[in-house]
Structures are given as structure tokens and as C-alpha cells.
Amino acid sequence: MQPITSTDAIIDFCLSPLNFDRQTEAEREVRRRMTHVIRTFQMKAAQPVAIDFSNMPSQVINEAAHGYE
């Protein structure tokens, strides 16, 4: 996977597992907030920021503690 630099592409990648209906007010608000966070971070960084999700550590979920759904 190539690093992602586009704000919209980062948000699309993060939201894709949730299968949001893109026509809802909630989805638009989530995108608005995530856009603000990403752009604020990019402005504060001294260099361009790219996100490489292929290097993301895996998560281990304790299903016994959180339910077997």
C-alpha cells in the first residue's frame, strides 16, 4: 500500500469499514471533524504528512472482556 497524503483519501480509508450512508448528517459531521483534525495537524507539521496504513500495528481485542459479537 502506498502512503496516503490526500485528506479525503485518509478519511475514506478510515471510514470504509463502517459503511456509513454518505447522505446522512452524521456522516457529513464526522467527515467535517476529521478534515479539521487532519488539516490542523498537517499545518502544524514542519513537513508534508503522509499516512502509511501498511505499517499500522495490529490490534488484539479481548473478546471475553468485550463480548463475542
Side-chain angles (χ1 to χ4, degrees), residues 3-68:
I4 303 172
T5 57
S6 162
T7 301
D8 289 333
I10 294 168
I11 294 170
D12 289 342
F13 183 85
C14 291
L15 295 181
S16 65
L18 300 175
N19 292 322
F20 277 140
D21 178 2
R22 294 193 72 150
Q23 304 302 314
T24 65
E25 183 61 34
E27 196 271 349
R28 287 190 291 274
E29 181 64 14
V30 168
R31 284 183 176 277
R32 186 184 72 76
R33 291 179 184 194
M34 289 181 73
T35 298
H36 177 72
V37 169
I38 293 167
R39 288 187 179 158
T40 299
F41 178 76
Q42 288 174 332
M43 285 188 332
K44 301 248 183 222
Q47 58 195 20
V49 176
I51 308 299
D52 186 355
F53 288 102
S54 64
N55 291 330
M56 190 169 68
S58 61
Q59 296 282 331
V60 177
I61 298 172
N62 181 343
E63 290 186 3
H66 300 283
Y68 294 97

